[in-house]
Amino acid sequence: MAQNQRKKKNHTGGSSGNLKAVLYILLVVVGIAGAVSLGTAGGSKTTTSDSVVTVPGGVAPAEYQKVSVSGDALTQIPETGDDPEVGKAAPTLNGYDLFGRPVTVDPGSDGKATMVVFLAHWCPHCNREVPVLNEWKAQGLVPANLRVVGITTASNPDQDNWPPSKWIVAMKWSFDQFADSETQDAAAAYGVSGYPYLAFIDAKGNISSRASGEIPIEDLTAAAKKAVGEK
């Protein structure tokens, strides 16, 4: 009788061992599956560089963009004397910004005055002028009926602060922006001879004044008021 009981106990112990072995195997399998699942979940967070948001009529982001010019090109600002282009019609520019969004600079078409600023990412004067322009806006000194457009031009991968698409963001440019072509078609149309270069255009689309170099806030305000017809 005692022998039978011992056999029974041994039999029960064997079943328990087998059950533990099965549970152990199941836990290992579940653990491996969980590890694979976690690995897959982690991989799904990876983003790709081709996730570009497109807009109607837009093109791929680029440091240079195709530019179409209509109207007569302006001559360069003379070193001395009056600017002969004051009072003449400003050229119209059709193109895109650095992020591929379509942009048109058509002075006078919307009844607003326009200020175009040509900027080179490598130019130390431009790097000092952009914060001035941002501060000008922050102080509320930009007339409400003045459109300001920054045009990146003379872009060069061998120069500082390349690429301009990252530079313009780092500089916290707070106005519209337009990308010139690699052959600088926009700059040529406006007679650009140095950087930064500013052209103020009245509400009828005619040149009000032009300037090259670093411009203080006081002079920006005066030129802007003249362009919009304020005193």
Side-chain angles (χ1 to χ4, degrees), residues 73-78 82-86 116 187-193 197-201 207-212 215 223 226:
L74 304 175
T75 59
Q76 294 184 355
I77 302 173
D82 297 333
D83 185 351
E85 301 294 1
V86 171
V116 291
Y190 273 78
V192 174
S193 56
Y197 175 97
L198 295 83
F200 292 86
I201 308 157
I207 295 294
S208 173
S209 63
R210 296 187 298 169
S212 182
I215 312 297
K226 179 182 177 182

Side-chain angles (χ1 to χ4, degrees), residues 1 8 15 22 38 51 76 127 137 148 151 155 162 182 191 203 207 209 227:
M1 190 71 178
K8 190 173 181 179
S15 297
V22 171
L38 288 172
S51 56
Q76 294 184 355
N127 279 273
K137 181 178 180 179
V148 180
I151 301 179
S155 300
W162 176 268
E182 192 167 6
I207 295 294
S209 63

Side-chain angles (χ1 to χ4, degrees), residues 13-211:
S15 297
S16 176
N18 291 338
L19 180 59
K20 289 181 179 180
V22 171
L23 288 174
Y24 178 79
I25 293 171
L26 286 173
L27 287 173
V28 171
V29 171
V30 170
I32 293 173
V36 172
S37 177
L38 288 172
T40 304
S44 66
K45 295 180 181 178
T46 303
T47 56
T48 57
S49 59
D50 60 354
S51 56
V52 178
V53 178
T54 57
V55 295
V59 296
E63 306 308 323
Y64 311 100
Q65 296 285 12
K66 182 179 179 181
V67 175
S68 174
V69 179
S70 60
D72 295 334
L74 304 175
T75 59
Q76 294 184 355
I77 302 173
E79 294 184 4
T80 59
D82 297 333
D83 185 351
E85 301 294 1
V86 171
K88 293 185 179 180
T92 295
L93 306 175
N94 287 288
Y96 307 89
D97 66 13
L98 293 162
F99 307 102
R101 296 169 295 203
V103 182
T104 297
V105 180
D106 189 5
S109 63
D110 57 359
K112 287 186 175 183
T114 305
M115 167 184 159
V116 291
V117 187
F118 288 83
L119 301 163
H121 59 87
W122 46 264
C123 169
H125 302 289
C126 296
N127 279 273
R128 289 193 289 267
E129 184 67 12
V130 170
V132 173
L133 293 166
N134 286 339
E135 180 61 23
W136 182 46
K137 181 178 180 179
Q139 291 184 22
L141 298 175
V142 182
N145 53 340
L146 176 73
R147 181 192 182 194
V148 180
V149 184
I151 301 179
T152 53
T153 190
S155 300
N156 188 336
D158 296 327
Q159 297 291 342
D160 292 340
N161 303 314
W162 176 268
S165 58
K166 290 185 177 180
W167 172 74
I168 204 79
V169 172
M171 294 297 291
K172 299 180 181 179
W173 180 254
S174 56
F175 303 96
D176 292 346
Q177 56 107 341
F178 184 102
D180 204 352
S181 62
E182 192 167 6
T183 52
Q184 303 178 48
D185 294 308
Y190 273 78
V192 174
S193 56
Y195 317 102
Y197 175 97
L198 295 83
F200 292 86
I201 308 157
D202 64 25
K204 294 181 179 179
N206 300 321
I207 295 294
S208 173
S209 63
R210 296 187 298 169

